[in-house]
Amino acid sequence: MSDSARSAGPTATLRLWIAVVLFLAALLAVMPAQTFNLWKASIAGAELGHWVALGALLVLIIPGWWKSVRGQLAGALALVAFCLAFSPSVRAYRAGAGLGVKIDSAFGKGEPRSLPGASPMSSPWSLLRVATMPASPEVSVTTVNYVKRGYDEALQLDVYKRNRILPPAPLIVVVHGGSWVGGSRSELGALNPYLASRGYVVATLTYRLAPANPFPAQSEDLNAAIDYLKQHAETFGIDTMQIALIGRSAGGQIVLQSAYTKKDPSIKGVVALYAPTDQQWGWDNPANPGVYDSYSVLRNFLGGEPSQIAEKYRAASPINYVDSATVPTLLIHGSKDPLVSVQQSERLDAALAVFHRPHLFVKLPWATHGCDYFFTGPCGQVSTFAIERFLGSVLK
């Protein structure tokens, strides 16, 4: 055996093992999640797939893979891994094509806000942005108590505001998810300073959690937070007639509920990301129990089953409040969501169309629940682009 053949053996074996790992990682970008942990891994698989694709490309471009059977197998696996892992980037590019025009058509022509040193995203998706967080300069955060529940439970707000901004500024209230039983106002927090640095006042809130505090406690707390911020508008530099709400998952249900039922003319628009919009439909069409126990989630949130409290299921479903006065609505949802079916957003989108209300549904074919966890990933970029252009259209 020649010296080159001996040295090729270990190298080919290492290359093969690397290719196998990259292939398995790439599968996370395309395969439906069958367990809760695989769902969490699939967020990274889809939203960081471009890095896996880069690794697969390196396996292919480093010379010598064709010199042995193991090397050739490694090359084949690397090629498949590249195609699978890079597919979310391709789909993000397609999903973003013409998105700005669609938003202008749905909600009216507007310009996203910007301030020196903090410009809006120029396109929905760019590989050049994946490694660098956008600038969010000069943002301060103030924490305040906005309402007291019971004797010793004060609920808090974090208010993000750019220093030296000329008031009054539009207000964005962001509500976290967590199946109504958990979560934190600080989670997925990159969007908050991003918007604040571009000229908005952004508030995130703690709200009461189920099962100790079932529906409608969460909506009541959001309404109280909005009222508090309006009452202290001078302190925070808020334009009290220019308010928008953003919520993720359970937070999406909460913001839709308030936007559709509070009947507050200052609320000009609402954004719901992967939100449960119809609780009865969610009960009738449960998630895969290996991934998510949606029956227990709904029982905790509403205090029972539809056969016991059908009216509560109806009352907690924003889809039932759509009418001819419903505020402009932006819906964002991934087609691969195993926790909250994409049909939840599709059905609300159809209801809004029946009443001819301004709305747009941005469907992300590669994405899963919580896909915007990585702010510079495909979902993070596309959703941020859509959100800031929506805000530019509805908040004047």
Side-chain angles (χ1 to χ4, degrees):
M1 182 181 292
S2 67
D3 291 341
S4 61
R6 290 191 186 97
S7 62
T11 301
T13 300
L14 177 60
R15 192 193 300 262
L16 178 58
W17 275 112
I18 292 173
V20 168
V21 171
L22 291 170
F23 173 73
L24 293 175
L27 285 178
L28 293 171
V30 296
M31 294 291 289
Q34 298 301 319
T35 69
F36 185 78
N37 288 331
L38 281 176
W39 157 65
K40 291 192 290 186
S42 72
I43 301 174
E47 300 306 317
L48 301 179
H50 39 276
W51 297 115
V52 176
L54 177 60
L57 188 61
L58 290 175
V59 170
L60 288 168
I61 65 176
I62 295 175
W65 59 265
W66 57 85
K67 293 182 179 180
S68 69
V69 173
R70 279 173 290 179
Q72 293 168 6
L73 181 57
L77 282 174
L79 179 60
V80 175
F82 175 84
C83 295
L84 295 178
F86 199 65
S87 63
S89 296
V90 175
R91 291 176 143 190
Y93 177 80
R94 291 175 178 172
L99 184 55
V101 173
K102 293 175 184 176
I103 291 171
D104 289 345
S105 176
F107 305 110
K109 180 82 171 164
E111 292 295 330
R113 289 173 69 91
S114 63
L115 290 174
S119 58
M121 286 190 178
S122 58
S123 63
W125 166 243
S126 171
L127 278 172
L128 300 177
R129 292 198 295 261
V130 299
T132 306
M133 288 292 291
S136 299
E138 300 179 348
V139 173
S140 60
V141 184
T142 303
T143 301
V144 297
N145 298 335
Y146 72 90
V147 70
K148 189 173 183 180
R149 302 296 189 191
Y151 292 105
D152 57 358
E153 185 181 9
L155 300 180
Q156 293 187 319
L157 285 166
D158 288 339
V159 181
Y160 297 74
K161 181 181 175 183
R162 181 160 178 176
N163 302 333
R164 295 175 294 182
I165 186 176
L166 294 177
L171 170 66
I172 313 299
V173 183
V174 180
V175 182
H176 69 81
S179 300
W180 301 285
V181 298
S184 165
R185 67 180 185 273
S186 63
E187 66 187 26
L188 280 74
L191 182 66
N192 305 328
Y194 177 89
L195 293 175
S197 68
R198 284 150 181 80
Y200 298 99
V201 176
V202 179
T204 65
L205 66 142
T206 296
Y207 55 84
R208 288 172 292 169
L209 300 174
N213 301 281
F215 172 85
Q218 298 74 25
S219 300
E220 291 172 349
D221 291 344
L222 173 55
N223 291 341
I226 295 169
D227 293 341
Y228 174 90
L229 290 163
K230 291 173 71 173
Q231 291 162 9
H232 296 81
E234 186 173 348
T235 300
F236 299 115
I238 293 169
D239 182 344
T240 59
M241 291 306 296
Q242 298 294 323
I243 299 174
L245 311 179
I246 300 174
R248 300 179 178 93
S249 191
Q253 181 272 334
I254 296 168
V255 296
L256 289 168
Q257 190 80 12
S258 289
Y260 290 3
T261 64
K262 197 173 190 295
K263 303 301 182 184
D264 185 339
S266 64
I267 300 176
K268 305 300 186 184
V270 59
V271 182
L273 295 94
Y274 37 89
T277 65
D278 186 335
Q279 313 323 321
Q280 179 66 62
W281 189 91
W283 181 273
D284 295 336
N285 300 271
N288 178 348
V291 182
Y292 187 66
D293 187 355
S294 52
Y295 286 140
S296 291
V297 168
L298 288 169
R299 279 193 292 260
N300 285 332
F301 175 46
L302 297 169
E305 302 182 2
S307 60
Q308 304 164 319
I309 49 170
E311 180 54 30
K312 257 200 167 182
Y313 276 72
R314 191 206 69 79
S317 301
I319 195 170
N320 293 325
Y321 298 99
V322 175
D323 59 26
S324 58
T326 297
V327 301
T329 303
L330 174 65
L331 302 171
I332 302 173
H333 211 136
S335 297
K336 289 178 58 191
D337 191 332
L339 276 65
V340 177
S341 170
V342 69
Q343 293 183 61
Q344 291 273 12
S345 289
E346 290 173 343
R347 296 177 73 254
L348 179 57
D349 179 65
L352 291 163
V354 168
F355 284 91
H356 305 288
R357 299 308 301 148
H359 68 286
L360 182 66
F361 175 31
V362 181
K363 184 187 289 189
L364 308 179
W366 74 91
T368 186
H369 198 83
C371 58
D372 55 330
Y373 181 87
F374 296 99
F375 191 73
T376 60
C379 173
Q381 288 193 37
V382 174
S383 60
T384 300
F385 178 91
I387 287 169
E388 63 179 335
R389 273 151 182 78
F390 170 78
L391 298 176
S393 294
V394 301
L395 300 177
K396 306 301 184 183

